[in-house]
Amino acid sequence: AELPTPRAGADEVLVRVRAAGINRSDVSNVLGSHPYTTVPRVPGRDFAGVTSSGEAVWGTGAELGFRRDGTHAEYVLVPAKALASKPRALSFQQAAACGVPFVTAWHALEHARVGEGATLLVIGAAGGVGSAAIQLARLRGAKVEGAVRVKQGSGLEFAHRDAPIQDLTPAEPPAEPLARSWDAIVDTTGRWLAPSIGALARGGRVVVMVSPGAGTEPVPLRDLYRREASIVGVNSLLYPAAECAELLRRLTPHFESGALRAPERLQPRPLGSEPYLALKDGASGKFVFTFGE
Ligand SMILES: NC(=O)c1ccc[n+]([C@@H]2O[C@H](COP(=O)([O-])OP(=O)(O)OC[C@H]3O[C@@H](n4cnc5c(N)ncnc54)[C@H](OP(=O)(O)O)[C@@H]3O)[C@@H](O)[C@H]2O)c1
């Protein structure tokens, strides 16, 4: 739809959006799955763009696209405190792809207490959140392995802890995919909860962030309590844009140095419903709307 260009109020900045990441939650938001969304509403949380004073910025945040108009439009109004300078090392498309994945991965690692020397398995390692979690955990000095699915509905393929993320290539499924012992497991798929609990070390933590299907999963209680293990959730919708900007500023030197990289498999698209429908149908890759890039 054609909307008038918004006008900035006090403590707001008008950003001309150059690229806007599309997350699965944007799709579920449009489908009405988030009861706190106020409508009518422009969806979209992640963005990279230019202010009227010419500064290249990026950002993300819970309210964008949910309780105030979001980033899937040529212009977005952002609280002034929610702006961070875009890393020069990232294109607008790359920067727009980082927001929700890195914010979610960061808090997943915080909740799972992943620090120096911890062993971590990231399931869904080639995805946006998964690849961010692997990089952030390596920065923390954790011993990280990633797992990707071999094919729909089958096993997991593991990657060595030093392997580049883009080298995670599916092969034959191992016989016992989770027969190991990790201090923490980040499951970005919601499909591996029960085997993950059985693969935790004493006091281990498994982080969940998505509930496929009806939102309930059987939990192997004996495996859980015998290890004194815990299941912890992460919800990026609890972090407002100003708080996310602080985190993005903190991560920026690592993007500039190349220690952190934007999600691979970028799928740039013009504004429209096609990537929403593709994600709803389970498409892989990181979709990004582009405006004049
Ligand atoms: N709670 C929160 O705040 C929050 C925030 C961000 C994301 N999420 C959710 O977390 C999930 C991941 O987000 P994302 O942005 O990283 O999505 P993504 O980029 O699509 O990544 C998902 C990854 O999981 C893999 N995968 C899917 N099903 C699998 C299975 N059964 N076994 C093994 N791997 C499987 C996919 O493999 P392929 O590459 O083969 O497709 C893909 O690499 C999404 O469901 C999203 O809605 C939640």
Side-chain angles (χ1 to χ4, degrees):
E2 284 292 330
L3 295 173
T5 304
R7 296 177 65 149
D11 303 323
E12 285 182 330
V13 176
L14 181 66
V15 175
R16 180 170 199 149
V17 180
R18 295 286 302 273
I22 309 165
N23 294 289
R24 291 181 191 278
S25 52
D26 300 324
V27 179
S28 56
N29 190 23
V30 167
L31 292 173
S33 305
H34 299 277
Y36 34 79
T37 305
T38 51
V39 290
R41 186 58 63 231
V42 174
R45 268 195 279 174
D46 295 349
F47 69 93
V50 180
T51 65
S52 51
S53 59
E55 189 191 0
V57 292
W58 64 333
T60 181
E63 62 271 55
L64 293 170
F66 290 80
R67 285 181 288 272
R68 59 185 292 153
D69 278 341
T71 65
H72 293 175
E74 280 176 85
Y75 290 94
V76 62
L77 279 182
V78 182
K81 284 186 180 160
L83 287 182
S85 296
K86 179 183 78 64
R88 287 181 303 279
L90 299 181
S91 68
F92 284 100
Q93 286 181 23
Q94 289 172 321
C98 288
V100 168
F102 274 87
V103 168
T104 308
W106 175 270
H107 290 290
L109 299 181
E110 287 286 300
H111 297 347
R113 304 193 309 280
V114 173
E116 178 84 35
T119 55
L120 170 71
L121 173 67
V122 176
I123 302 176
V129 178
S131 60
I134 287 178
Q135 297 176 72
L136 290 169
R138 283 177 178 164
L139 270 183
R140 290 170 178 232
K143 295 174 188 155
V144 191
E145 289 186 66
V148 294
R149 64 176 158 189
V150 179
K151 57 182 196 277
Q152 197 86 29
S154 78
L156 293 172
E157 166 76 358
F158 290 81
H160 187 266
R161 59 178 61 101
D162 297 323
I165 291 151
Q166 59 271 32
D167 283 357
L168 296 169
T169 44
E172 285 303 305
E176 288 186 79
L178 293 180
R180 290 276 304 278
S181 180
W182 280 275
D183 296 323
I185 297 178
V186 172
D187 179 11
T188 72
T189 74
R191 305 274 179 191
W192 292 88
L193 178 61
S196 291
I197 291 170
L200 289 172
R202 177 178 173 176
R205 292 79 62 192
V206 56
V207 185
V208 293
M209 61 188 70
V210 57
S211 52
T216 55
E217 283 292 320
V219 172
L221 289 176
R222 199 174 298 128
D223 286 345
L224 187 80
Y225 75 72
R226 283 187 174 168
R227 290 169 170 75
E228 296 194 340
S230 26
I231 305 169
V232 58
V234 63
N235 182 8
S236 56
L237 284 167
L238 295 178
Y239 302 95
E243 210 176 307
C244 293
E246 274 177 38
L247 177 59
L248 293 180
R249 280 185 215 110
R250 193 166 160 188
L251 297 182
T252 289
H254 302 294
F255 281 103
E256 300 290 23
S257 74
L260 294 179
R261 295 167 58 165
E264 307 282 336
R265 305 192 297 175
L266 287 189
Q267 306 259 10
R269 292 287 191 278
L271 190 63
S273 57
E274 183 265 331
Y276 277 70
L277 295 169
L279 281 173
K280 180 171 170 286
D281 290 342
S284 299
K286 182 67 203 179
F287 290 87
V288 181
F289 286 130
T290 61
F291 304 84
E293 220 195 24

